[in-house]
Amino acid sequence: MSGLAVKLYGVSPRILLPVAVLVCCLAGTATAAPSGAGGLHRKLAGTFDTPGVVSTASTAMVVELPTGRVVFARNAGLSLEPASNEKLSVTYAALLELGPSYRYPTELVGEGKRVGSTWVGRLVLKGFGDPALTTSDLKHLAKIVWRLGIRRITGGIVGDASFFDRETTATGWLPSYAGIESPPMSALIVDRAARNGRLVVDPALAAAAELDRLLHARGVAARGASTGRAWPRARPLATIYSEPLSEILQFMDHYSDNFTAEMVLKAIGAKSAGYGTTAGGATVVRRDLDAAGVPLAGVRIADGSGLSRDDRVTARELASILVLIWNNPVMRPVVWDALPIAGESGTLENRLVDNPGHALVRAKTGTTDIASALSGYVGTRYAFVAIENGDPVDYWAAHAAEDGVAEALIDQIAPG
């Protein structure tokens, strides 16, 4: 996904959010009596009568677009584990803080000086959290070094991952998640830390070693690879850029990619708060939601993927985020393209396939052993949230309830 590109700067979505009053109104009415048609309300309520759905551990909300008027609410303020529905808040904050046109840079800088065809000193490969950096991208950098006329590097290649902290997982993760649900997080990581079919222990060192290998293949001799920090006065030699953030978020949400979500969260923290940490990113996300008027009672943001057992959301919060996104002309098309289409693509490819109107549903799935969730849009008329928790959660029952909500709304738009 990464490659050479000219850095682009998009219009900041920050100035396009005159919806705080709307969201506050939505939050204020979330526990009010149902305002939808009686038949629709009964049908929505009935979907949660499915055996296996625990009434005290399930929540749902349906609102109309673009107003946010509440059509249906069930335990709207109940605090539950979100699974991958946590990615919706990260998507919102990333678009707000970084912008859809943001591109992750990866820099190659030189410490020392050039003498003829020799670089006397080190070359430093500095990462800034690109989750989609590949060996192909490093080939571009090796080619640039060769074109500059450098044929020998006396100090070797250094991998600099200091833009993020050194934590490779997030708080609240089960030990089994590391390397299975997500490769290790690092500000400098190539091919998602995969090498020869295995995950590397030190992604930054592996990235530096790969660049060293590619340089040697080009005829540029170096003294091996190591890790460290670039000197403040290091000389810029080359920079490559990722695809736009909008495309990275589309991959993240379409396939519910945990690694990308965690990397995006750390980038939010690094760029907006000066802390390339999970906690730093979570603080910025919460600040942004609060500033937009999203009700945060019962909400806890512990990571970006929703894997953490410490995460908590409410249907009221997620419905508010969906309305905010819908009413933002910069965010809406990005998220609309990012969400899977029921019965057709991504994590919804095998859901609602028997319903003729399945393509009306674009939603974010969420699945762990204790949580199942589905939140998104039905056509241009409704936003909805449905979450179930359990120990373990009954996947069949949870999917039946979630799909039932979506089908009830499909019937309102395309009856028969």
Side-chain angles (χ1 to χ4, degrees):
M1 290 175 64
S2 302
L4 291 171
V6 177
K7 189 169 186 178
L8 302 179
Y9 294 89
V11 177
S12 172
R14 187 182 298 276
I15 63 173
L16 299 170
L17 294 169
V19 292
V21 174
L22 179 152
V23 177
C24 287
C25 290
L26 182 150
T29 59
T31 56
S35 57
L40 175 60
H41 182 270
R42 285 192 297 272
K43 189 178 292 186
L44 290 168
T47 64
F48 291 91
D49 291 336
T50 303
V53 173
V54 181
S55 61
T56 56
S58 61
T59 182
M61 178 172 267
V62 175
V63 299
E64 287 186 342
L65 298 170
T67 64
R69 186 177 73 90
V70 178
V71 173
F72 174 79
R74 171 191 174 88
N75 299 333
L78 184 62
S79 180
L80 294 177
E81 295 200 33
S84 284
N85 271 208
E86 186 66 39
K87 295 179 175 74
L88 289 171
S89 61
V90 174
T91 298
Y92 171 80
L95 289 171
L96 183 66
E97 294 292 337
L98 305 178
S101 298
Y102 175 75
R103 294 174 183 257
Y104 290 86
T106 301
E107 297 179 349
L108 186 65
V109 300
E111 299 174 347
K113 62 181 180 179
R114 180 174 173 177
V115 179
S117 62
T118 299
W119 185 270
V120 181
R122 310 188 303 176
L123 294 190
V124 182
L125 179 65
K126 184 172 178 61
F128 291 88
D130 183 357
L133 189 67
T134 67
T135 296
S136 178
D137 297 316
L138 297 191
K139 287 181 179 178
H140 285 299
L141 288 175
K143 185 176 182 180
I144 291 171
V145 172
W146 186 84
R147 284 182 172 177
L148 288 173
I150 297 172
R151 297 295 181 265
R152 190 166 78 93
I153 302 156
T154 65
I157 308 300
V158 178
D160 183 348
S162 61
F163 193 63
F164 289 172
D165 65 2
R166 295 183 179 182
E167 295 296 326
T168 59
T169 62
T171 180
W173 282 21
L174 299 179
S176 60
Y177 289 168
I180 303 298
E181 296 292 343
S182 171
M185 292 175 268
S186 172
L188 177 59
I189 184 168
V190 176
D191 298 330
R192 298 169 67 96
R195 189 169 187 177
N196 298 324
R198 297 183 179 182
L199 289 179
V200 301
V201 175
D202 188 337
L205 179 60
E210 182 65 10
L211 180 58
D212 181 41
R213 184 187 70 81
L214 293 169
L215 286 168
H216 275 273
R218 277 268 174 191
V220 180
R223 291 186 58 191
S226 61
T227 58
R229 288 175 177 257
W231 295 350
R233 294 185 180 180
R235 175 183 171 185
L237 296 178
T239 303
I240 55 175
Y241 294 91
S242 73
E243 297 296 337
L245 180 67
S246 58
E247 296 185 26
I248 290 173
L249 293 178
Q250 286 169 18
F251 173 78
M252 179 184 91
D253 287 333
H254 208 69
Y255 298 102
S256 201
D257 189 71
N258 298 320
F259 170 69
T260 301
E262 299 299 345
M263 294 284 282
V264 169
L265 184 65
K266 285 196 174 189
I268 292 171
K271 294 289 290 184
S272 300
Y275 301 100
T277 65
T278 298
T283 297
V284 175
V285 174
R286 188 176 183 93
R287 180 194 70 193
D288 289 345
L289 296 179
D290 185 54
V294 173
L296 296 177
V299 173
R300 188 185 307 154
I301 304 169
D303 70 357
S305 62
L307 290 174
S308 176
R309 293 296 180 95
D310 297 333
D311 286 319
R312 294 294 184 274
V313 298
T314 68
R316 184 179 297 140
E317 175 217 3
L318 293 181
S320 299
I321 292 172
L322 288 169
V323 173
L324 277 172
I325 290 170
W326 187 262
N327 287 290
N328 186 301
V330 173
M331 293 185 183
R332 186 201 296 185
V334 175
V335 177
W336 184 257
D337 288 341
L339 293 175
I341 302 173
E344 296 189 9
S345 64
T347 55
L348 278 180
E349 183 177 7
N350 298 315
R351 301 274 291 271
L352 296 167
V353 291
D354 295 328
N355 189 304
H358 58 74
L360 288 169
V361 179
R362 295 180 182 236
K364 183 74 202 70
T365 58
T367 304
T368 65
D369 59 341
I370 58 175
S372 180
L374 187 67
S375 301
Y377 304 104
V378 179
T380 60
R381 185 172 173 184
Y382 297 110
F384 73 96
V385 177
I387 306 172
E388 299 77 33
N389 282 187
D391 190 19
V393 69
D394 185 327
Y395 296 124
W396 181 90
H399 285 186
E402 294 156 10
D403 292 356
V405 170
E407 291 189 296
L409 299 175
I410 290 172
D411 289 345
Q412 291 296 113
I413 297 173

